[in-house]
DNA sequence: CGCCGACTTGACACCAATCAAGATAAGTGG
DNA sequence: CCACTTATCTTGATTGGTGTCAAGTCGGCG
């Protein structure tokens, strides 16, 4: 019934939180643990609430809503999306463990966020966050860095959608996924997408049918083998690197 | 011969500069004069160099170069672009009077910038800018605001490229252009593009031929009339608003 | 006035969107 | 745990939109 459950409210951080404070895989994304010192993380967890989203497709916040919180993904996958006038959905990014989200402009969320699969999310009240930030100008610079990083990523997606055809877009998407240790077992070559065809389609600016076709094409080229709709074995990882542009 | 000419170097700002310090049209873009108080602008012009780019297609900086400057467009049009592995160009944005650019990450420019037509550009040394910023934490927040704004714009472009067909993209592009008083005479309905078909194509993620077709389609719908390749009369401005999404 | 580059238009081939149907996987309740 | 139900995924067929090549026209600049 209750689709979101508050696991912990932590003015005095519990031991489980301190035990696993956003440790992340080494990759190029801007993670909260890259941006903050251990002491700063401690301070942040002190004002955090832990939310447990049990089911996929649950809204975390919607574009245009008053922004009162900043979020960080811990477990599961979150999608950031925007809708056009016709109601068509464009997924702007997927977020995993350690990624922070909830960007606002003029006090309102710019985009929508909801769960792709069951997820655990940390929530930070913006007001208390601002009080923390005021004292430390360094933290503000970190947020600027994060915004610049996201900007760069968004511009990369513009390049992808403007220049590449669907199979090429899928190759780049799979390449990005293999950078996440959580979902890609490099030695076995097994990639656990955890994302449905419709979500992939809305991210790549195409249809689920065409995503399926693109998967088949890559399978015929012996680049991967589909084990299930959400599980593939990457047979030739180097084939995913060829297009790796900026 | 000399394609770029330094007009003024202004440790002591000349009268011409104080006379016209980034006065801008009222629109939704993030302009330097919106971000700064008059006193702050005065301070900035003190460290600025004014550059005169006489011809179109001149590089201001290129992606990957060491970033030593921040820029602001004064006259003319600047394009921000990125190239993929095959050398295909995607234009990310066009900039006009008052727009600031030169975003860097890890000390290097993320994108390339060059002139679309003859332009006058203000250049600010980052090092001295940083010294100015250090004293005023408010200015840093302004830059964050600017980055967030650009991020939002880039994400909008993702939506456009992912969801709309070419005629729809052109409609949205023309709508954006009509927001600039410099190039759009609202009473006469005359729009002076100042941008070639190839640049429009690389911005909309299509070919010059298809841009021409889209213009013809809009003309057949009596939405506009082509007076020349770079000049159109908007006959039904409200028709450009219909698609105005976020 | 003449040249050259930019723009426009048409024709064609290809890629992608959509509709429809069948196969597979996942979730649900007995 | 199994059977049923439902959603998701895959594949094929068809249609429409877009990229590309080629040729002709227009406009700007010397």
């Amino acid at each position: 019934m209750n689709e979101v459950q508050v696991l912990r409210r932590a003015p005095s951080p519990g031991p489980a939180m301190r035990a696993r404070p956003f440790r992340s895989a080494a990759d190029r994304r801007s993670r909260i643990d890259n941006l903050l010192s251990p002491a700063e993380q401690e301070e942040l967890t002190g004002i955090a609430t832990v939310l447990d989203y049990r089911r996929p497709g649950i809204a975390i916040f919607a574009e245009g809503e008053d922004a009162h919180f900043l979020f960080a993904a811990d477990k599961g996958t979150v999608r950031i999306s925007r809708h056009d006038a016709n109601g068509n959905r464009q997924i702007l990014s997927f977020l995993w463990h350690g990624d922070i989200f909830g960007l606002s402009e003029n006090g309102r969320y710019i985009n929508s966020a909801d769960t792709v699969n069951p997820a655990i999310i940390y929530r930070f009240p913006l007001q208390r966050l601002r009080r923390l930030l005021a004292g430390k100008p360094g933290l503000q610079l970190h947020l600027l860095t994060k915004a610049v990083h996201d900007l760069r990523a968004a511009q990369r997606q513009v390049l992808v959608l403007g220049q590449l055809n669907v199979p090429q877009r899928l190759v780049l998407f799979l390449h990005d996924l293999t950078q996440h240790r959580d979902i890609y077992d490099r030695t076995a070559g097994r990639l656990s997408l955890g994302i449905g065809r419709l979500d992939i389609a809305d991210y790549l600016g195409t249809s689920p049918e065409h995503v399926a076709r693109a998967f088949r094409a890559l399978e015929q080229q012996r680049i991967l083998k589909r084990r299930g709709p959400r599980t593939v074995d990457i047979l030739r990882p180097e084939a995913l690197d060829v297009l790796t542009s900026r």
Side-chain angles (χ1 to χ4, degrees), chain A:
Chain A
M1 195 96 280
N2 225 351
E3 286 163 338
V4 187
Q5 190 180 354
V6 175
L7 283 189
R8 300 180 210 91
R9 189 166 195 111
S12 57
M17 291 185 60
R18 268 192 265 112
R20 186 177 33 74
F22 293 108
R23 199 164 304 168
S24 89
D27 68 34
R28 298 170 304 173
R29 304 195 122 244
S30 81
R31 300 246 160 134
I32 200 166
D33 50 356
N34 293 334
L35 300 181
L36 304 177
S37 72
E40 287 168 334
Q41 288 184 41
E42 187 90 5
E43 213 165 352
L44 273 183
T45 50
I47 64 172
T49 301
V50 184
L51 302 175
D52 185 7
Y53 290 80
R54 302 285 177 87
R55 306 198 321 183
I58 308 301
I60 301 169
F61 56 80
E63 54 190 302
E65 282 183 8
D66 287 348
H68 297 301
F69 302 100
L70 193 70
F71 299 84
D74 182 28
K75 283 181 183 301
T77 310
V78 173
R79 61 180 176 234
I80 304 295
S81 61
R82 208 183 282 190
H83 296 77
D84 68 9
N86 307 324
N88 296 323
R89 183 185 64 164
Q90 175 70 42
I91 292 180
L92 298 167
S93 61
F94 293 103
L95 306 177
W96 290 272
H97 174 74
D99 294 326
I100 60 182
F101 61 101
L103 208 62
S104 56
E105 193 178 24
N106 301 324
R108 291 170 182 278
Y109 290 117
I110 295 175
N111 305 313
S112 303
D114 35 24
T115 57
V116 175
N117 43 44
I120 292 181
I121 313 276
Y122 282 52
R123 190 182 72 182
F124 307 92
L126 273 181
Q127 207 166 1
R128 303 182 65 177
L129 207 54
R130 260 189 284 270
R131 242 174 288 155
L132 262 176
L133 287 178
K136 308 184 204 312
L139 262 182
Q140 227 179 67
L141 190 61
H142 285 317
L143 281 183
L144 180 57
T145 304
K146 150 79 178 164
V148 169
H149 178 93
D150 282 2
L151 174 55
R152 181 182 178 138
Q155 290 178 337
R156 174 181 186 266
Q157 191 67 359
V158 170
L159 193 76
V160 168
L161 295 178
Q163 305 288 27
L164 304 183
N165 60 25
V166 174
Q168 290 172 321
R169 294 180 203 175
L170 181 60
V171 164
L172 222 50
F173 177 60
L174 292 175
H175 172 84
D176 289 350
L177 291 184
T178 59
Q179 301 306 111
H180 292 267
R181 297 292 167 85
D182 311 356
I183 57 176
Y184 181 56
D185 178 351
R186 187 162 297 198
T187 56
R190 176 148 298 183
L191 180 63
S192 305
L193 301 170
I195 303 172
R197 291 289 184 265
L198 178 60
D199 282 342
I200 298 176
D202 281 351
Y203 178 66
L204 300 181
T206 184
S207 61
E209 296 95 326
H210 226 292
V211 173
R213 280 181 238 282
F215 267 111
R216 183 180 47 170
L218 294 182
E219 196 166 77
Q220 286 168 346
Q221 294 174 252
R222 305 275 185 275
I223 293 176
L224 56 82
K225 173 129 189 59
R226 283 174 286 184
R227 295 297 173 188
R230 299 189 179 200
T231 309
V232 294
D233 286 351
I234 308 296
L235 305 180
R236 299 198 282 113
E238 73 281 3
L240 302 182
D241 298 343
V242 289
L243 276 171
T244 304
S245 56
R246 38 210 83 263

